[in-house]
Amino acid sequence: MTNKHNNWDRLVELIKWTGMNTNRFALTIGLSRAENLYHIKRGNFGISEVLADRIVTRFPEIDKTWLLTGVGSMLKAARQVKWEQLLVVIFLTEK
């Protein structure tokens, strides 16, 4: 299986985990439509850094490395997620 297909497989796994359909998932991460995701399905594009950032911003428990490469687990360890959320709170309160 090529990496192009692996990209789509990871997205499918993630979308199933959210309990959404592809269109709803696209809207949830800030895409106006699911077209960009279907380009990945067809193998036209991979998962970009920008798309990965959109996803992990909305779903911080998702491991960005896994999303981009398939290495590791889809979900981060709970301790890492809490630490990152704490950093966001600190950053926002310092503004």
Side-chain angles (χ1 to χ4, degrees):
M1 186 179 284
T2 67
N3 192 34
K4 292 177 183 178
H5 290 106
N6 289 336
N7 285 320
W8 179 247
D9 291 343
R10 288 193 302 279
L11 281 178
V12 167
E13 184 177 348
L14 173 57
I15 292 167
K16 284 182 183 178
W17 176 81
T18 67
M20 299 179 195
N21 64 35
T22 304
N23 290 322
R24 183 70 190 145
F25 179 80
L27 292 173
T28 299
I29 62 170
L31 300 176
S32 58
R33 56 191 179 154
E35 183 74 21
N36 295 4
L37 301 180
Y38 288 116
H39 279 293
I40 294 169
K41 180 179 184 179
R42 290 189 290 268
N44 297 335
F45 300 108
I47 299 171
S48 68
E49 287 277 339
V50 172
L51 179 61
D53 286 338
R54 284 178 177 257
I55 293 169
V56 299
T57 296
R58 178 59 182 86
F59 301 101
E61 55 274 1
I62 300 302
D63 187 275
K64 185 176 175 183
T65 300
W66 172 83
L67 188 57
L68 290 169
T69 67
V71 174
S73 298
M74 180 177 76
L75 299 176
K76 294 179 184 176
R79 183 175 45 208
Q80 182 179 357
V81 171
K82 288 181 181 184
W83 175 249
E84 288 175 357
Q85 289 170 338
L86 177 62
L87 290 176
V88 168
V89 169
I90 291 170
F91 175 76
L92 292 175
T93 56
E94 289 183 350
K95 283 189 170 187

